[in-house]
Every structure is written in C-alpha cells, then in structure tokens.
Amino acid sequence: MALSRIWAAFIIVAVVVAGIRLLTTDHKTIFTSMVTGKAGDTVRLQKADTATLDAASLQKLDSTKFLTLGDRQVVRAPDRQLQYYQVQGADGIIETTKTAVTISIGLVGIMALFMGFMSIAERAGGIRLLSKIIGPFFSRLFPDIPKGHPAMGHMMMNFSANLMGLDNAATPFGIKAMQSLQELNKTPETASNAQIMFLCLHASGLTLIPVSIIAARAALRAPNPTDIFIPCMVATFIATVAAMIIVSLRQKINLLQPVILAWIGGISLVIALLVQFVVRMNSENVQSFSALLSNSIILGIFFLIILGALYKRIDIFDAFIEGAKGGFETAVRIIPYLVGMLVAISMLRTSGTFEAIIDAMKGVFAALGTDTRFVEGLPTALIKPLSGSGARGMMISTMTTYGVDSFPGRLSCVLQGSSDTTFYVIAVYFGAVSVKNTRYAVGAMLLADLVGIIASIILAYLFFG
C-alpha cells in the first residue's frame, strides 16, 4: 500500500503544481510538455519587456543573439521585445512509456546471459558453495533463510557486482536473488523480511570506485578528477550501514553479534586499503584499474562456472538455455511496473515540482542564516532516487553551471555516488516477483538515502570547505 500511495501522490502533486504554474507563469503549454514533450524540446514562452533584463545582460544579448538564463533562453523578437524560451529537461508521458519499454527490452540480452550462467552455477553446485561461505554472516542478517539456501549465494553475487560497479551484472543477479527469496515467501504478494533487507542493502549503492563520476569530472577537465573518491566511498558506506541498522531495528535483528561485527570490520578494512591504493593514482590510472578489475571479475566468474560445470559433468549448454529463458520472461514481466513508476517520475520533473522544492529549500536556509552553498548541489540528491540518468545529468549540469571544482559541483558528485535509484530498484525488483505490498521498504530506503545525503553534505564541507 505504501508504494501505491506514493505513486498516487507523485501524480496528484505533479498535476496540481503544473496547474498552478499554468495560472501563475507564462508557461501556457506546460500540460502539452508533460504529455507529449521530449527532453531537449524548446518551449515558446510569452514575450516580455526589455525592462526584465539588466543593462549588462541586454548588451550581451545584442552581441550573442541569444542568452541562456538557467533553463531558459531569451532572444530579441522582431518588435524588439524579449522572447523567452524554455528547454525541456525531461521526456513527457508518451516518450517516457517508450523509454520504459526500451529499458526493459535492453535488459533482455543481459538478463538472458547472466541468468543463463547462474543456471549453470546452480546445477554445478557453485551457488550452494558460495552460500556456505557467506552463510555465517547472512544467516544472522537474514534469519528466515534456511542454512545453505541458494538465495544467499545469489545475494552475494549481487552485492559483489554492485561493489565493483558492475551494473549490468548486478541487476540479473539481484533479480535472481529476489526470485529465490520469493520461493520462501509465504505471502507472495507481500514483501518478506528477507526481501526488504536485501533490497534496502542493494539500494544503498555501495560501490568501491565511482568510475563514471571520475570520468565525468575528467571530461569536464577537473584538475584532480579523483578528489571526490574518498568522500564518495565513505558516504556510500555510511548509507549502507544506515540501511542495515534501519531494517535491523524494524526486524529486531541484533547487529552486535561477533560474526556481523567481524564481517563489517573486514569490509571496512578492505575499503580502507583500497582507498590508500587508489588515492595515489591519477584519474586515468584509476579508470584503467577499475575497468581491468571489473572486467576481470566478470570473465573470472564465467571461467570458474564453466570449470565447475565440467567437473560436475552437467549438460552446460542446456542449463544455460534454461536459465536464459527465465531472463527473457523476467525482462518482459517488469514492463508494467517500470512504465508506471517512470511515468510518475516524469510528471514530477516536467511539472516543475523539483524547481519548486529547490526554491523553497533555498528560501528556508537563507532565512535561517545558514550557508546555502550546499542547496545548489541538492537537485542531484532529489532526483537520484527517481532517475539515475536524470541525476547524472543534474550532476553534470551543476558542475558546468557553478564550476567543476566548485563546492556545489563537488557535492553533486558525492551525492551521486552515495546511493542508488530507489524507485527504479523498487519497480524492477519487486515487479520481477510480482510483489504488490512493499510494506516499509520504501520508507526504509528513503531514510537510508537521507542519511547518505546528510553524510555527503558533511563530508563535502570537511574535504572541500
């Protein structure tokens, strides 16, 4: 029910905000933009008198023919008045439905590949072996899962893929883990405790090296593109621990057990050693190292699975085909869930709701007399739970607007690396197993996201002043 209410609230709020903007601003085609508009479309707004611009801006406009002001552009009309245009930042409803289907179809191949190899690993006993290795830790975090159940191995594969930034592998492994957990679920339409714990940990987005963020900073010619590495690493680790604590408190799981503390301590040590190793590299070497490590892991997994299957003498290709069929079916099954969620998110973005929220936050913090530099970086954090590509675009926009090494620019990078796309994860993973009642999963994920945002802001001030 929680997800249903949130989804309905998104749509209602978007329509109400759009209606207010229609009546109070010059954006008279806002409903058209929300329904049939496309990202990058230029929306013609009303004309305005030259008095709306200062003398310096008018002089610049005469020399450059058009002037960019935030998400708006202004040109001289033939009658010498100012003609304003607005560039649409997100697709409308119609285009978004196409995007949702395109995403699902794009998942078919990668889902078929990885779930095919997962099927081989299951028949060869590799998943159960992995389950036994991590069993002592997971059995305490997931007390409802029987000892040695394949779900533990599937979850470990997902967490490992996430840790290395292997998005293409993490999704199939994660969906397979959800399907395994669903086999133990006594109420199939309602999320189980184990599913909620798994998804909250997954959505916290723990990644060792934020390669895409470093690459974006390098592309924008940052003098030191890797300077956000440590803050990103710490922020995402804090968000993951927060997710674990939040869900554990709700499920009454004792985290002060020696096994849990030992595993968390071990992971912390690995992260600390990696930080020490990576901070000595330049941006090119970081990207090369990450690519080598990530791709080596994928090839290594495939290699070990095939070797194990040969040792067990199973029909390897038949096992692959059986698993691949499941990948195709799963990719198709999530289409309705993805369409519904992405459309609601699109309406929030195209209606101007985000603009209203950011403006309100600026006003509040300015009135309190606090430093407001961090507010300029918050759009990335607000969009991240809704859209990964949208948050990435907002991060780049913040860096280009305020400067790649500005405080808002660096903060947006840390925020981008501190969490995952919560609502996308909910739509895909719960949709894959047809869970309709997500219980407190959404609230727990958003609370963990909030912890990650607060940690990111504090770390940005500590590292970048």
Side-chain angles (χ1 to χ4, degrees):
M1 286 297 293
L3 184 58
S4 296
R5 290 170 183 166
I6 291 172
W7 186 74
F10 281 178
I11 295 175
I12 292 171
V13 169
V15 174
V16 170
V17 171
I20 294 172
R21 291 189 69 196
L22 179 67
L23 297 174
T24 60
T25 70
D26 56 356
H27 195 342
K28 302 306 179 185
T29 60
I30 188 168
F31 285 166
T32 302
S33 298
M34 289 178 67
V35 178
T36 60
K38 300 178 182 179
D41 281 354
T42 301
V43 181
R44 186 186 181 95
L45 306 177
Q46 291 182 344
K47 292 182 181 179
D49 189 81
T50 54
T52 58
L53 280 183
D54 58 79
S57 296
L58 286 172
Q59 184 177 4
K60 186 176 181 181
L61 176 61
D62 289 333
S63 61
T64 60
K65 304 303 180 184
F66 76 91
L67 187 64
T68 300
L69 302 170
D71 63 343
R72 295 191 175 193
Q73 294 179 344
V74 59
V75 299
R76 287 275 193 184
D79 59 3
R80 303 302 293 169
Q81 283 194 304
L82 302 179
Q83 176 64 63
Y84 282 87
Y85 297 88
Q86 184 169 14
V87 179
Q88 185 160 332
D91 287 330
I93 291 172
I94 303 302
E95 287 300 313
T96 298
T97 58
K98 298 177 183 177
T99 300
V101 175
T102 300
I103 290 173
S104 299
I105 292 174
L107 283 173
V108 170
I110 197 71
M111 290 285 293
L113 173 66
F114 281 96
M115 292 187 80
F117 270 95
M118 289 285 278
S119 177
I120 298 173
E122 285 179 349
R123 289 197 191 182
I127 298 299
R128 291 194 178 276
L129 176 62
L130 188 59
S131 299
K132 291 179 180 179
I133 294 173
I134 49 89
F137 174 59
F138 274 13
S139 63
R140 287 158 176 80
L141 275 187
F142 301 90
D144 297 334
I145 301 178
K147 186 177 180 181
H149 193 276
M152 292 189 176
H154 295 150
M155 287 190 290
M156 187 61 187
M157 295 286 277
N158 170 262
F159 292 143
S160 299
N162 254 343
L163 207 62
M164 298 300 164
L166 306 176
D167 294 338
N168 288 337
T171 299
F173 291 154
I175 289 177
K176 187 64 178 177
M178 285 293 284
Q179 291 173 340
S180 296
L181 293 172
Q182 186 71 347
E183 295 173 3
L184 302 171
N185 192 355
K186 296 178 181 179
T187 53
E189 291 192 355
T190 301
S192 66
N193 284 349
Q195 287 175 323
I196 293 173
M197 174 65 85
F198 164 66
L199 217 53
C200 287
L201 292 176
H202 169 83
S204 63
L206 180 59
T207 303
L208 288 180
I209 304 177
V211 180
S212 61
I213 300 173
I214 293 172
R217 286 179 53 76
L220 293 174
R221 299 184 179 181
N224 184 11
T226 61
D227 61 3
I228 48 81
F229 169 67
I230 295 178
C232 279
M233 172 79 72
V234 176
T236 187
F237 184 65
I238 290 174
T240 301
V241 173
M244 185 185 302
I245 293 172
I246 291 166
V247 180
S248 295
L249 288 174
R250 188 63 186 265
Q251 297 182 5
K252 298 181 179 178
I253 296 172
N254 180 17
L255 292 179
L256 299 179
Q257 302 176 63
V259 173
I260 294 178
L261 294 177
W263 272 81
I264 294 177
I267 294 172
S268 301
L269 179 61
V270 169
I271 291 175
L273 292 174
L274 184 67
V275 167
Q276 290 294 321
F277 179 67
V278 172
V279 292
R280 300 174 183 176
M281 301 181 180
N282 58 36
S283 61
E284 291 183 2
N285 288 339
V286 169
Q287 293 177 50
S288 298
F289 169 73
S290 177
L292 176 63
L293 181 62
S294 301
N295 293 324
S296 297
I297 288 173
I298 289 179
L299 293 176
I301 289 172
F302 289 173
F303 181 72
L304 291 175
I305 287 174
I306 295 299
L307 282 184
L310 289 172
Y311 176 76
K312 291 290 186 177
R313 297 183 178 180
I314 67 169
D315 189 333
I316 299 175
F317 194 66
D318 179 68
F320 176 84
I321 296 300
E322 285 302 310
K325 288 178 181 178
F328 176 82
E329 294 167 359
T330 301
V332 173
R333 192 184 305 126
I334 67 175
I335 290 177
Y337 296 87
L338 207 51
V339 168
M341 188 56 68
L342 292 185
V343 163
I345 291 169
S346 164
M347 293 176 68
L348 280 179
R349 295 183 64 192
T350 55
S351 66
T353 302
F354 284 120
E355 295 176 17
I357 293 173
I358 291 299
D359 289 342
M361 292 181 67
K362 286 182 181 178
V364 169
F365 286 107
L368 293 174
T370 60
D371 184 84
T372 58
R373 288 180 301 159
F374 73 93
V375 179
E376 306 293 350
L378 287 184
T380 301
L382 293 177
I383 294 179
K384 187 63 187 284
L386 306 174
S387 168
S389 59
R392 191 177 304 110
M394 188 59 68
M395 175 190 71
I396 293 172
S397 175
T398 302
M399 286 193 286
T400 55
T401 301
Y402 299 100
V404 67
D405 276 345
S406 65
F407 183 83
R410 283 168 162 157
L411 173 59
S412 67
C413 293
V414 180
L415 290 168
Q416 173 72 1
S418 67
S419 63
D420 207 336
T421 49
T422 298
F423 287 100
Y424 173 84
V425 167
I426 289 170
V428 171
Y429 285 70
F430 279 129
V433 291
S434 301
V435 167
K436 298 177 181 178
N437 183 2
T438 59
R439 297 169 65 199
Y440 53 87
V442 178
M445 289 183 192
L446 292 178
L447 187 55
D449 286 344
L450 178 60
V451 172
I453 291 171
I454 294 172
S456 297
I457 294 172
I458 293 173
L459 288 165
Y461 275 106
L462 287 175
F463 279 85
F464 310 120

